[in-house]
Amino acid sequence: MNLQMLIIVTLISTQLVSCGLKKQPIAEKNRPAIYDAWDARYTYQIENRRMIPVHEGRMIGRSWGRDEDGKIDHVAYLGPDGDNVEDLLSLHHNNSDRLREKKWKKAKEQRIDFIRSQLELIEEEENAPLIEIEIEEEDEDFVPPVFIPQGIDLFAPEESTGKPSSDEDAMPLPFAPL
């Protein structure tokens, strides 16, 4: 009985010990991979000019890189296994191409509508009945009237009235005639 008891105790103790030692690493817990991507810190790779997110020694999250001119030439989402899950650069290019194509079509339609309206205006002007207006020609050329200033006496007061003025009645002119 001691032997059976010893076997039972060892089996139970090994099960309890094995359950207590079994710990999962943080990456293998029931935690979504996006949390690891959010917690990642970026490292810069000089030879590739890329920013790589690293969490607990593995690459996870959005990485990007630039060329010599500073333009983005690499954008990707690295999954929990470190493989390239999505090529975000091609998605960006496809989206940009679609938006550019829509804008181009809209601008093209606006240009076509503008040209059509201009052609319609020209056609209406060509089809409009002609109205003849007779212009009477005058033999005399227009000459504007001579400008004569009024309200300024150019002559002395005695010349305009005909009688000599006395010094008392005469007001001195601000500008005496020469």
Side-chain angles (χ1 to χ4, degrees), residues 114-126:
F114 177 75
I115 291 171
R116 282 182 184 156
S117 65
Q118 293 297 320
L119 289 174
E120 288 174 0
L121 286 174
I122 291 171
E123 189 175 314
E124 287 176 7
E125 289 177 1
E126 287 177 355

Side-chain angles (χ1 to χ4, degrees), residues 107-139:
K108 184 178 174 183
E109 289 296 324
Q110 288 176 349
R111 282 194 309 270
I112 289 173
D113 291 341
F114 177 75
I115 291 171
R116 282 182 184 156
S117 65
Q118 293 297 320
L119 289 174
E120 288 174 0
L121 286 174
I122 291 171
E123 189 175 314
E124 287 176 7
E125 289 177 1
E126 287 177 355
N127 294 338
L130 297 176
I131 300 172
E132 293 184 20
I133 300 174
E134 294 183 17
I135 299 174
E136 297 178 10
E137 294 184 18
E138 296 182 9
D139 294 335

